[in-house]
Amino acid sequence: MIQRRQPAANVNVERTALRRRIRDFYRRFNREDWSGCFARLDPRLRQAGKVEESQYRDSLATFRQAYGEVEIWHTRVNLYLDAKNNKHDARPFAYVYVFWQDAHQAFHVFRERWVLDDGKWYTRVIGLVVHQQAG
């Protein structure tokens, strides 16, 4: 597969915009602003009815109750701004690793996919699941 290099300035602008959007999402999560989080979910998923807002809200609320606030320590962003050859979705996208700490001081990592749609970044994560220990 041949990849074209994106101009460094464009990559840096998008990386900064995405990091800002990620922090905004988790600020809203920490404030329990579930409708604000839902608004940052990929519009194609919302418009297609693939995610019900009530189920999404319940998923985030359950996760928030179990782990508390998400304190981001670091984000790693891998951008793919030239996705025109992708037959499923030609929008630019990114894989993001969010390294975070919960209210109990435990560290975790989220691996998320974000897409650029109409100039804004949106998450493709349709909910959060509480890890259940084997009992």
Side-chain angles (χ1 to χ4, degrees):
M1 182 172 137
I2 298 173
Q3 289 185 339
R4 286 188 219 136
R5 291 213 176 255
Q6 297 293 320
N10 188 38
V11 170
N12 290 336
V13 167
E14 290 303 336
R15 184 174 279 117
T16 299
L18 177 54
R19 280 194 169 112
R20 188 177 311 122
R21 191 78 162 170
I22 293 164
R23 290 199 178 277
D24 176 65
F25 177 87
Y26 286 107
R27 269 193 297 274
R28 290 174 185 280
F29 173 86
N30 289 340
R31 291 193 318 246
E32 300 181 18
D33 176 8
W34 310 134
S35 61
C37 291
F38 189 73
R40 276 136 189 88
L41 182 63
D42 182 0
R44 290 189 186 176
L45 292 175
R46 288 182 279 139
Q47 292 164 357
K50 301 219 182 227
V51 182
E52 293 290 326
E53 186 171 1
S54 62
Q55 291 175 328
Y56 186 78
R57 179 185 62 236
D58 292 348
S59 165
L60 296 185
T62 300
F63 192 89
R64 172 82 164 73
Q65 185 176 18
Y67 290 98
E69 291 188 3
V70 169
E71 182 184 348
I72 296 175
W73 279 66
H74 178 71
T75 56
R76 179 175 177 200
V77 174
N78 295 325
L79 290 174
Y80 300 90
L81 298 178
D82 187 15
K84 291 178 180 65
N85 295 332
N86 186 333
K87 57 187 167 187
H88 298 293
D89 191 347
R91 297 176 295 175
F93 68 96
Y95 287 119
V96 176
Y97 295 88
V98 178
F99 299 86
W100 61 280
Q101 189 174 26
D102 66 21
H104 309 289
Q105 313 321 225
F107 285 94
H108 308 273
V109 178
F110 288 140
R111 181 177 185 257
E112 305 175 353
R113 183 179 167 108
W114 287 71
V115 293
L116 186 62
D117 189 271
D118 198 25
K120 291 185 180 175
W121 287 98
Y122 294 93
T123 183
R124 297 268 307 168
V125 175
I126 60 171
L128 297 173
V129 179
V130 175
H131 176 70
Q132 299 293 324
Q133 292 286 348

